[in-house]
């Protein structure tokens, strides 16, 4: 069926870059890397260095369009908090090469994560997944032990998203990239932060509400009132949330000293006979 073979074209919107393209960002210190995979593909990544002694590193998994050339502008949201950032282009994006598949991308990202672990302890690695990258970030977190997982405008599964636009197609049988974020989240053991805008027309806000219920004890849902799918960074509330998330420290609570067991009932007690 034509739909099966057209999925890569419909789903991915890559920007290709010449191998000699020079990345340049104002007030950012960067270093470019190439990583060769076991099947001969080359992955291009960019490290944005913290100006001060880094507290850790953020592995930023981007959305489905363009390349790290444009996405690199968002690294400042982490370097300003003294976290270095590593961004990578998926196969076929930017300078990265190789035949794309869900299995190949998952394998690529685990290889990159392993490389980061060689220099940075896992308790100082943050996984950040934006839109398409949220599913891959959830998968990585489910197989490793990062400091935290941050999902920005995540989807329940890519099958669910595509079904909204093509309800007449048996996508569960056809889709090459099901990306079941909800299944992978069940195995995540680190703190999970989900950020979503209430006016997101591509991936509805209710999706994140549903995802937040999978591991409720580990998950916190952050709501950007009025935020859409591509403009959360234009809201002050988003940056306040990011500052709280990245700089927060776990707090142990003695629940026996709280009102957790108090039942607020409006019913009047029955009169004794």
């Amino acid at each position: 069926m034509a739909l099966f073979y057209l999925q890569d074209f419909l789903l991915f919107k890559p920007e290709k870059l010449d191998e000699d393209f020079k990345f340049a960002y104002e007030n950012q210190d960067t270093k470019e890397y190439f990583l060769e995979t076991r099947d001969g593909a080359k992955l291009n990544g960019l490290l944005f260095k913290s100006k001060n002694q880094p507290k850790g590193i953020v592995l930023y998994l981007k959305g489905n369009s363009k390349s790290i050339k444009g996405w690199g502008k968002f690294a400042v949201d982490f370097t300003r908090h003294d976290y270095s950032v590593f961004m990578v282009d998926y196969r076929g994006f930017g300078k990265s090469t190789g035949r794309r598949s869900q299995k190949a991308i998952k394998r690529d990202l685990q290889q990159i994560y392993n490389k980061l672990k060689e220099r940075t302890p896992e308790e100082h690695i943050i996984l950040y997944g934006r839109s398409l990258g949220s599913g891959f970030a959830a998968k990585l977190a489910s197989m490793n032990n990062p400091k935290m997982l941050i999902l920005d405008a995540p989807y329940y599964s890519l099958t669910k998203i595509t079904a909204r636009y093509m309800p007449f197609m048996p996508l569960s049988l056809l889709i090459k990239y099901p990306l079941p974020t909800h299944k992978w989240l069940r195995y995540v053991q680190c703190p999970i932060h989900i950020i979503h805008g209430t006016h997101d027309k591509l991936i509805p806000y209710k999706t994140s509400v549903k995802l937040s219920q999978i591991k409720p004890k580990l998950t916190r849902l952050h709501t950007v009132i009025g935020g859409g799918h591509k403009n959360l960074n234009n809201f002050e509330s988003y940056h306040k949330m990011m500052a709280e998330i990245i700089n927060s420290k776990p707090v142990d609570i003695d629940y026996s000293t709280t009102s957790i067991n108090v039942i607020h009932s409006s019913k009047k007690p029955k009169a004794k006979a």
Side-chain angles (χ1 to χ4, degrees):
M1 189 175 288
L3 179 62
F4 182 83
Y5 298 101
L6 287 173
Q7 282 180 55
D8 281 81
F9 175 77
L10 295 172
L11 177 59
F12 299 101
K13 306 295 181 183
E15 172 188 40
K16 301 203 177 206
L17 301 175
D18 293 333
E19 194 165 328
D20 60 354
F21 175 83
K22 302 296 182 185
F23 294 99
Y25 301 92
E26 188 176 350
N27 299 321
Q28 292 278 33
D29 184 10
T30 62
K31 185 175 181 180
E32 187 176 4
Y33 288 88
F34 282 94
L35 180 67
E36 187 167 345
T37 67
R38 69 185 189 188
D39 65 344
K42 283 187 178 180
L43 304 177
N44 180 231
L46 204 58
L47 175 67
F48 295 80
K49 301 177 184 178
S50 168
K51 291 182 179 180
N52 301 311
Q53 180 64 28
K55 298 175 183 176
I57 190 166
V58 176
L59 177 53
Y60 189 110
L61 303 183
K62 67 181 192 65
N64 70 336
S65 64
K66 301 183 180 179
S67 70
I68 54 177
K69 171 188 170 185
W71 287 92
K73 297 172 185 175
F74 298 108
V76 67
D77 293 335
F78 305 94
T79 56
R80 64 187 292 268
H81 294 293
D82 294 328
Y83 272 86
S84 295
V85 179
F86 190 79
M87 291 191 182
V88 62
D89 265 326
Y90 310 124
R91 294 174 177 230
F93 286 75
K95 301 181 186 181
S96 294
T97 66
R99 186 173 182 178
R100 202 163 38 231
S101 71
Q102 179 172 298
K103 183 177 180 180
I105 295 176
K106 288 191 298 181
R107 189 174 60 238
D108 293 346
L109 296 178
Q110 183 61 59
Q111 185 175 350
I112 290 168
Y113 189 90
N114 292 342
K115 285 291 183 182
L116 294 182
K117 283 199 301 182
E118 292 176 4
R119 298 187 179 186
T120 306
E122 276 195 281
E123 60 265 29
H124 297 297
I125 297 177
I126 295 176
L127 286 173
Y128 186 99
R130 167 79 175 86
S131 192
L132 176 72
S134 63
F136 291 118
K139 177 60 176 177
L140 266 184
S142 73
M143 299 177 65
N144 300 279
N145 298 288
K147 178 179 181 178
M148 70 176 74
L149 169 66
I150 305 175
L151 303 179
D152 181 334
Y155 44 85
Y156 197 76
S157 72
L158 220 53
T159 306
K160 289 274 188 184
I161 292 295
T162 50
R164 290 182 62 210
Y165 299 99
M166 293 178 284
F168 52 87
M169 301 299 292
L171 293 174
S172 60
L173 301 176
L174 294 172
I175 194 163
K176 294 163 63 178
Y177 300 89
L179 293 172
T181 307
H182 64 105
K183 290 184 179 179
W184 294 332
L185 276 182
R186 295 172 189 165
Y187 303 98
V188 175
Q189 298 301 319
C190 67
I192 302 167
H193 293 273
I194 301 177
I195 306 172
H196 215 128
T198 56
H199 287 28
D200 191 327
K201 289 182 169 52
L202 179 62
I203 304 175
Y205 172 75
K206 64 182 180 182
T207 299
S208 283
V209 174
K210 197 172 181 180
L211 287 173
S212 69
Q213 296 167 348
I214 294 174
K215 296 294 284 278
K217 292 185 177 180
L218 291 176
T219 305
R220 184 177 174 187
L221 175 60
H222 305 264
T223 304
V224 180
I225 304 298
H229 189 69
K230 295 182 178 181
N231 66 347
L232 297 188
N233 61 291
N234 298 133
F235 289 77
E236 290 184 2
S237 58
Y238 169 82
H239 296 285
K240 289 179 181 178
M241 291 171 191
M242 288 303 306
E244 291 176 2
I245 293 170
I246 292 176
N247 297 309
S248 66
K249 294 182 180 179
V251 177
D252 291 324
I253 299 175
D254 180 0
Y255 289 103
S256 66
T257 65
T258 72
S259 63
I260 192 169
N261 293 316
V262 175
I263 305 299
H264 194 116
S265 177
S266 59
K267 293 181 180 179
K268 296 181 179 180
K270 294 182 179 180
K272 293 184 180 179

